[in-house]
Amino acid sequence: MIKGGPKKDLQGKQIQSILISQPKPETEKSPYFDLAKKFNIKLDFFPFIRVEGLPAKEFRKQKIDILSFTAVIFTSRNSVDHFFRICEEMKVKVSQDCKYFCITEAVALYLQKFILYRKRKVFYGADGSTKGVLEVMNKHRDNEKFLFPSSDSQKKDIEEWLKANKCEYATATLYKTVSTDVKEVMAATAYDMIVFFSPSGVKSLFENMPEFEQNGTHIGAFGPTTSAAVEEAGLRLDVKAPLPQAPSMAAALEQYLTTLAKK
């Protein structure tokens, strides 16, 4: 039986290793590396999932005319990447008047890679939650035709809201998530903490290790859907981001470790 870390009191000095379920940052300036030095902890990176984009040939089968939509909903950077990838592959030039509704400010700012960022057409929820972005969308629902780029495993809450409010919309599946084999990395170190960034990452853990038990392992989650997936899996959620005082996962971890160290 593969289990989580040993049972222990929740004290900062006992968090000596953290597994970040994402690829290692390409730059040494990442705040995660500063975190590892500050608290003298072992901090490893390993993606629990990989994202595979649907080719344009497959997307065309969905019979969605991108240019017929006046607004696009983004819930992750992956959805942004693959939306503009599909547009490029299909030689579609999105109108400058198109509006973008993003679940977090970080996703909204990420749009700068692809568009001329103007606040009058880029919106995001105040608190980084699905509820927050839906409140913003509610003000525009009568005047927009929404396109919702998603993965094959996207949660249906936004789609259900669009349907319930009789909005004009279409859901476009642009990419899929595939679980990676995490058994070896989990067996190599009994990590004191695991940090998740998507519901698919949580799913990957249990697909690889159905007998996983949390015990004393601390769990962090970025994003409201990830937090919900952690709790739905029966795990105790210790660190949640983004929050107003901790807009990034690194900031949330720093606050958590600092608090535990004082106990």
Side-chain angles (χ1 to χ4, degrees), residues 137-144 146 165-168:
M137 289 167 54
N138 191 51
K139 300 174 184 178
H140 300 264
R141 70 183 190 187
D142 296 330
N143 302 316
E144 306 297 339
F146 297 96
N165 286 278
K166 297 181 172 56
C167 298
E168 277 196 90

Side-chain angles (χ1 to χ4, degrees), residues 17-81:
S17 59
I18 300 177
L19 178 59
I20 306 292
S21 61
Q22 282 191 328
K24 184 176 181 179
E26 295 180 358
T27 171
E28 292 298 321
K29 294 182 179 180
S30 168
Y32 286 115
F33 298 127
D34 296 333
L35 204 63
K37 291 178 182 178
K38 180 177 180 178
F39 293 94
N40 191 28
I41 54 176
K42 172 182 168 66
L43 203 153
D44 292 337
F45 298 86
F46 188 87
F48 278 34
I49 59 170
R50 68 178 187 274
V51 175
E52 296 181 355
L54 263 63
K57 180 180 178 181
E58 291 296 314
F59 173 72
R60 287 191 179 94
K61 294 179 181 178
Q62 299 178 50
K63 297 182 178 178
I64 292 174
D65 178 10
I66 293 174
L67 293 180
S68 69
F69 296 88
T70 61
V72 186
I73 305 164
F74 291 124
T75 56
S76 68
R77 291 184 180 186
N78 279 326
S79 62
V80 175
D81 283 334

Side-chain angles (χ1 to χ4, degrees), residues 83-260:
F83 172 74
F84 287 102
R85 173 187 59 81
I86 282 289
C87 288
E88 184 176 354
E89 289 182 14
M90 297 179 65
K91 295 181 171 55
V92 170
K93 188 173 182 180
V94 181
S95 169
Q96 291 186 358
D97 295 323
C98 184
K99 293 185 174 67
Y100 301 96
F101 295 87
C102 305
I103 195 164
T104 64
E105 183 180 10
V107 172
L109 293 172
Y110 187 66
L111 279 169
Q112 294 178 102
K113 285 185 62 176
F114 303 95
I115 66 168
L116 180 61
Y117 192 95
R118 289 181 289 182
K119 289 185 178 180
R120 68 177 178 82
K121 67 174 183 177
V122 180
F123 308 87
Y124 52 88
D127 61 356
S129 69
T130 300
K131 181 182 178 182
V133 73
L134 291 178
E135 288 175 352
V136 177
M137 289 167 54
N138 191 51
K139 300 174 184 178
H140 300 264
R141 70 183 190 187
D142 296 330
N143 302 316
E144 306 297 339
K145 185 176 180 182
F146 297 96
L147 181 62
F148 181 30
S150 68
S151 71
D152 58 334
S153 58
Q154 188 81 37
K155 284 193 72 174
K156 303 297 182 182
D157 46 1
I158 290 180
E159 191 172 355
E160 288 171 357
W161 183 90
L162 290 165
K163 188 181 298 182
N165 286 278
K166 297 181 172 56
C167 298
E168 277 196 90
Y169 80 96
T171 300
T173 301
L174 302 183
Y175 58 99
K176 60 182 179 179
T177 54
V178 180
S179 296
T180 54
D181 189 346
V182 305
K183 292 189 289 294
E184 185 175 339
V185 70
M186 289 289 289
T189 302
Y191 288 100
D192 298 317
M193 185 173 200
I194 305 172
V195 180
F196 295 99
F197 294 84
S198 72
S200 299
V202 180
K203 180 183 176 183
S204 175
L205 173 64
F206 286 98
E207 282 185 350
N208 280 276
M209 301 162 56
E211 296 182 339
F212 175 83
E213 294 179 10
Q214 182 174 8
N215 293 331
T217 305
H218 303 241
I219 299 291
F222 187 84
T225 58
T226 309
S227 297
V230 166
E231 293 174 336
E232 287 167 8
L235 300 174
R236 183 194 68 253
L237 180 59
D238 300 296
V239 182
K240 186 177 181 180
L243 294 173
Q245 68 274 22
S248 69
M249 195 68 238
L253 287 174
E254 181 172 11
Q255 289 184 10
Y256 185 66
L257 293 170
T258 299
T259 300
L260 291 184

